[in-house]
Amino acid sequence: MGTTTFSGAVRSESTFKAISKNATTGAITEITTYGGAPVSLADGNVTLTNATHSGRVLLVPDGGQDNTYTLPAPVAGSVFKFVYAGGAADATDALIVTPGNTNFYIGGVTFLDTDGNAISSVFSDGNSNSSIQLNVPAGFEVTIVGLNTTNYQIFGNVTSTTAPAFADQ
């Protein structure tokens, strides 16, 4: 099927899904779901998938321990939007990691210090940082976008007494 152009509204009673199709095998890969309800992530380590998590708001709980959220292999166009959903500043950390150091972050986040003595930008090194640690957050909204099959673009803001930190895994 070729490109389809609509001149009016396109409606769905459920959601829309962006997919890619392998030209050789015909395998379909879901990239993102548009219009899906937010996903409340578990208080524990979670491995994310494009089909369930991409394109939806991901609500991160006030953790009972440090929680690690592992992204799937990057796919161009996938979007993961993490939002802190706790009712008070968290005493634990949220870590968002790629599948490994060969899949890394490009970009950074704005750090809003609740002690009132700093507003700054924290950047990845752009060539190997595959982990971001959101330390004892009072709030955050971090968006991660798949650029290609190697890199994720990252941007957003983190409010805390302790700056977020990028690192290799």
Side-chain angles (χ1 to χ4, degrees):
M1 178 176 189
T3 301
T4 302
T5 302
F6 297 93
S7 61
V10 177
R11 296 180 4 175
S12 170
E13 291 184 6
S14 179
T15 60
F16 286 100
K17 294 186 181 285
I19 63 161
S20 66
K21 180 178 178 183
N22 183 299
T24 304
T25 66
I28 300 291
T29 301
E30 288 187 23
I31 298 171
T32 241
T33 299
Y34 301 101
V39 175
S40 294
L41 298 175
D43 182 10
N45 297 337
V46 178
T47 299
L48 306 175
T49 65
N50 284 313
T52 301
H53 302 99
S54 179
R56 300 169 80 179
V57 174
L58 305 175
L59 301 174
V60 178
D62 182 350
Q65 67 284 316
D66 292 353
N67 293 321
T68 300
Y69 303 102
T70 304
L71 297 165
V75 176
S78 60
V79 179
F80 299 90
K81 183 175 186 174
F82 295 87
V83 175
Y84 179 63
D90 200 341
T92 63
D93 303 341
L95 291 90
I96 306 169
V97 301
T98 70
N101 284 331
T102 58
N103 304 119
F104 51 86
Y105 294 122
I106 297 172
V109 296
T110 300
F111 171 53
L112 307 168
D113 187 349
T114 57
D115 292 344
N117 59 4
I119 295 177
S120 61
S121 296
V122 179
F123 292 100
S124 70
D125 66 5
N127 63 28
S128 67
N129 288 163
S130 57
S131 172
I132 184 169
Q133 185 164 348
L134 309 177
N135 296 297
V136 293
F140 60 77
E141 184 175 328
V142 174
T143 302
I144 300 170
V145 178
L147 292 175
N148 49 40
T149 58
T150 303
N151 303 319
Y152 278 110
Q153 182 73 47
I154 186 168
F155 52 92
N157 62 70
V158 179
T159 304
S160 177
T161 58
T162 306
F166 284 96
D168 296 355
Q169 291 179 51

